[in-house]
Amino acid sequence: RASFDPNEKWISPEVADTSDHEFTFTILFQNTGTAPAYDIYLIDTLDNDLNASTFELLGSSHEVVTSIFPGNIVRFNFNAIELPDSNSNEAGSHGFVKYRIKRKSNTGAGTEITNTAYIYFDYNAPIVTNTVRVEIATPVGTSEFYNNEITS
């Protein structure tokens, strides 16, 4: 057994080369408090190498209102979510948001994309997720293999 923070962020793909132009981010959250959370919002400042105009919400665990503000700031509002706490309803205490976004066309090999989100449960201080990272690499190359049959 080990402890873990159920509030985290994922990026896909985790390894990218110059042919990869879009990334999928998932933010997971859980109410581990002692009472239901009535309003939850997430603040996610997009890396400067991401193109905010290509933002596409892919899904969420609950009804969400998404806003994009200057400075590449995305806000996800879960209004009146009433997310139960994990002690009274472990299965119901989880939530998520998932989105896709493209990197800017002028980025290439050596570009590092990083991202961290802040999760606010009601009026509490934010929970800071882990920082996800991916560095755009130059493709090493490809090889083709052929099955040569030898006949005698």
Side-chain angles (χ1 to χ4, degrees):
R1 299 182 71 152
S3 62
F4 74 100
D5 186 349
N7 303 289
E8 65 179 337
K9 186 156 193 176
W10 299 344
I11 187 173
S12 177
E14 293 179 354
V15 177
D17 64 36
T18 54
S19 66
D20 296 306
H21 294 281
E22 64 182 28
F23 297 91
T24 300
F25 291 92
T26 305
I27 303 169
L28 304 173
F29 57 91
Q30 182 181 19
N31 179 7
T32 58
T34 58
Y38 290 95
D39 292 302
I40 298 173
Y41 67 93
L42 287 59
I43 299 290
D44 192 353
T45 303
L46 303 172
D47 188 284
N48 286 329
D49 291 313
L50 296 173
N51 183 347
S53 70
T54 66
F55 177 91
E56 178 185 1
L57 182 65
L58 298 177
S60 64
S61 57
H62 300 79
E63 186 175 327
V64 65
V65 176
T66 305
S67 304
I68 300 177
F69 297 100
N72 280 356
I73 298 171
V74 182
R75 181 174 170 142
F76 303 93
N77 284 355
F78 293 91
N79 298 319
I81 187 174
E82 297 186 34
L83 192 69
D85 64 272
S86 59
N87 294 316
S88 64
N89 181 351
E90 202 288 327
S93 67
H94 298 268
F96 77 92
V97 67
K98 186 175 190 174
Y99 66 89
R100 180 172 36 225
I101 193 164
K102 293 182 180 178
R103 64 183 170 91
K104 291 180 179 175
S105 59
N106 63 348
T107 60
T111 300
E112 182 179 58
I113 295 171
T114 61
N115 195 263
T116 306
Y118 296 81
I119 305 165
Y120 295 81
F121 292 89
D122 294 324
Y123 298 102
N124 296 308
I127 307 267
V128 182
T129 67
N130 56 300
T131 299
V132 294
R133 288 180 166 71
V134 64
E135 183 175 341
I136 309 300
T138 302
V140 175
T142 58
S143 300
E144 292 184 28
F145 295 94
Y146 296 94
N147 182 11
N148 295 324
E149 283 187 39
I150 300 176
T151 57
S152 44

